[in-house]
Amino acid sequence: MTGILFSILWIWCVLLWILNLENKNITILNIKINGRILYLVSVFIPIFFVMGFRSAEVGTDTWNYAMNIFPTVSDTYNVDDIFSQDDTFGRGYWLFFYALGNFFSTHPEVYIIGESLLVILGTTVFIYRTTSHVALATLIFLCCFFVSALSLARQYVGIVVAVNAAICIFNDKKSIIGWGLLLLTLQIHAVNAIILIGIILGLISIHIKKPLNTFFVAFIFMVISGIMVEPILTAIISNFIPEYMGYLNTSWSQNVLEGESGFGLGVLMMNLIYLLAVLLVCIKIKNTTQSFMYKKLYYAILPAAVIASIAGIVFHNILVMPRLFSALLFLGIPLAATAPYYYTSMKRLFIEIFILFGISVGFFRVFLAHEYLYTFFWEM
C-alpha cells in the first residue's frame, strides 16, 4: 500500500513535468491561469491529501502531538498559560494548537490536517516565488523532504515560515513581513534559528560578483568545521536543544552500511546532488541573461545551499545534522531545481535525469525496504 501510494505521487509529478504543464497557460471563463500555478495546484492537492489524511501512527512525532499535546493545550490552556510556559521556542506552535482546538475541534485529525495545510501552502508559495522551474523543485521537495515532513511536522511548519521569511528579506532587507515571519519561526522551533546564518551570509553574498568564490569559500569553511566544530556543536545541543542529545551517537553512515534505514542513503544522495547542482549553477549564472530578480535571489541562497549540503556529508557521523540543517537545505530547493536550465540540449536532459535519479534513490529505497508504513486516519 505504502509503496504504491507514494509511487503514484512520484509518477504523477513526473508525468505532468514530461507533459510540460508548467509552461502551458490555459484560460477558463476568461481567466488566464499561469502554467506554473496549474502545475503546483495539480500536484500539491494530492500531496496534501496524503499528508493531511494520514493517521496519527504515521510519523515519529505525529502521535504525541496529535493525541496528547494538541488536545491538552486546546482544552486546558489559555493564552496567558501559553506565554508563561518555559518553552520559549514553542509558544508559536502552542498558539496554533489553541486556535485549532478552539475554533474548530480537538479531534486529532484536525491537528494533522492543519499542520499539513500550513506545510503544503508554505512550500507551494515558496516554490512559486523562487523558480520558474516548479516541476523539478516540486520533485525535490517530494523526494527529499516530504517523508521527513510527515514525522517532523512542527519543525517543517517552522521551516516553510523561515524560508519564506528569508526570501522576503533577500528581496528587501527592511521587509517588515520578512522579519516578522522570522520572529514567528523562532517561536515555532528552536532548530530553525539556523536560517539566520543563511540570511546573514545571503545578504553578503548578493554583493559578491563571483559565485564560484562563494562556493569554494563555503566549501573550505565547512570541511574545516567538520574537524573542529563537533565539540562546540555537542555543547550547543546539550544546552539549548537537549532533546537531540540522543542522536549524537548514531550515524547515517551506519544506517546506510547496515541497511537499518532507507533514509540514510537518501540523505547522502540528496546532499551530493545538491552540491553538484549548486556547482553547476555557479559555473553558469554570472554570464546568463536570467532576470535580475532570480539572479540576485540565487546569489543570496548560494551560501545556505553549499553549507547545508557540505554539512550533510562532513558531519556524517552525527544523526541530528540533517535536522539541524534542514531549513538551509530547503532554502536551496530553487537553486538545485534551476541547475539543468543553464545548459542546452542534451546536457540539460542529462542533468535533469541525473538529478531526478539521484533524489529518487532514497525516496524509493524506504518503501522497497518495507521500512515505512502508511495508513489513512480512517484505517486506525
Side-chain angles (χ1 to χ4, degrees):
M1 168 64 180
T2 305
I4 294 174
L5 182 64
F6 283 71
S7 295
I8 290 173
L9 285 180
W10 185 90
I11 292 170
W12 179 243
C13 292
V14 172
L15 177 62
L16 295 185
W17 183 25
I18 294 173
L19 294 175
N20 200 29
L21 184 63
E22 63 184 340
N23 293 314
K24 293 180 179 179
N25 301 329
I26 65 171
T27 301
I28 300 177
L29 300 176
N30 294 322
I31 300 175
K32 188 175 182 180
I33 301 177
N34 182 287
R36 290 190 299 147
I37 294 177
L38 189 62
Y39 180 89
L40 289 171
V41 170
S42 298
V43 298
F44 273 109
I45 285 178
I47 290 175
F48 165 72
F49 182 84
V50 172
M51 186 175 189
F53 292 94
R54 72 188 189 276
S55 75
E57 296 175 340
V58 178
T60 53
D61 293 345
T62 310
W63 182 272
N64 188 38
Y65 279 115
M67 306 299 289
N68 299 322
I69 300 177
F70 170 58
T72 299
V73 173
S74 301
D75 288 335
T76 63
Y77 280 47
N78 57 41
V79 175
D80 290 336
D81 293 331
I82 292 172
F83 280 99
S84 64
Q85 65 173 317
D86 295 332
D87 186 7
T88 304
F89 295 105
R91 291 171 182 168
Y93 209 54
W94 302 153
L95 283 173
F96 169 61
F97 288 152
Y98 179 81
L100 274 182
N102 285 273
F103 287 101
F104 297 98
S105 167
T106 58
H107 191 282
E109 193 57 32
V110 170
Y111 159 73
I112 296 174
I113 291 174
E115 56 88 1
S116 299
L117 187 62
L118 289 179
V119 172
I120 295 304
L121 283 177
T123 301
T124 304
V125 170
F126 173 69
I127 291 175
Y128 181 77
R129 293 176 64 196
T130 55
T131 180
S132 57
H133 307 291
V134 298
L136 187 53
T138 300
L139 279 159
I140 291 173
F141 166 76
L142 178 67
C143 293
C144 301
F145 298 96
F146 179 63
V147 173
S148 294
L150 296 178
S151 292
L152 311 176
R154 175 182 166 190
Q155 182 175 353
Y156 271 84
V157 169
I159 284 175
V160 298
V161 174
V163 295
N164 280 289
I167 299 309
C168 291
I169 294 170
F170 290 152
N171 290 329
D172 177 10
K173 61 184 179 182
K174 297 180 180 180
S175 171
I176 296 176
I177 294 176
W179 291 107
L181 289 174
L182 182 61
L183 290 175
L184 176 59
T185 194
L186 297 179
Q187 292 291 313
I188 296 175
H189 203 299
V191 170
N192 294 329
I194 199 168
I195 199 70
L196 286 167
I197 296 175
I199 291 174
I200 293 170
L201 294 179
L203 292 174
I204 297 172
S205 179
I206 288 173
H207 303 289
I208 298 176
K209 304 304 180 183
K210 296 181 179 180
L212 274 174
N213 290 355
T214 303
F215 179 92
F216 287 117
V217 168
F219 183 94
I220 294 171
F221 171 77
M222 288 308 299
V223 170
I224 295 174
S225 296
I227 301 172
M228 301 175 59
V229 85
E230 187 170 339
I232 299 173
L233 181 67
T234 301
I236 292 173
I237 292 175
S238 62
N239 284 284
F240 294 100
I241 41 177
E243 63 269 25
Y244 284 1
M245 284 298 295
Y247 293 102
L248 288 175
N249 297 320
T250 310
S251 70
W252 283 119
S253 56
Q254 178 186 12
N255 288 339
V256 174
L257 293 173
E258 296 181 7
E260 295 175 4
S261 172
F263 293 102
L265 180 60
V267 168
L268 291 178
M269 287 295 294
M270 177 174 62
N271 287 300
L272 289 170
I273 292 298
Y274 258 67
L275 194 60
L276 176 61
V278 171
L279 179 59
L280 292 173
V281 172
C282 289
I283 292 171
K284 289 286 189 178
I285 189 172
K286 185 178 179 181
N287 299 319
T288 63
T289 57
Q290 190 176 35
S291 71
F292 175 74
M293 181 190 74
Y294 281 133
K295 187 177 287 190
K296 174 186 174 183
L297 180 61
Y298 295 161
Y299 278 166
I301 291 174
L302 176 58
V306 175
I307 288 173
S309 55
I310 293 294
I313 299 169
V314 172
F315 298 117
H316 65 277
N317 61 322
I318 305 177
L319 182 60
V320 74
M321 271 301 172
R323 293 191 66 171
L324 288 180
F325 284 87
S326 290
L328 296 184
L329 206 61
F330 202 101
L331 186 60
I333 287 177
L335 200 62
T338 304
Y341 304 99
Y342 288 101
Y343 298 83
T344 58
S345 173
M346 294 302 295
K347 287 183 180 179
R348 173 185 296 184
L349 179 61
F350 174 79
I351 296 171
E352 287 176 335
I353 294 173
F354 181 78
I355 291 176
L356 181 60
F357 173 78
I359 63 177
S360 299
V361 167
F363 181 71
F364 281 107
R365 187 180 186 276
V366 173
F367 311 118
L368 292 175
H370 304 289
E371 295 171 1
Y372 196 93
L373 298 178
Y374 179 93
T375 54
F376 289 105
F377 75 89
W378 58 79
E379 295 177 316
M380 284 183 61

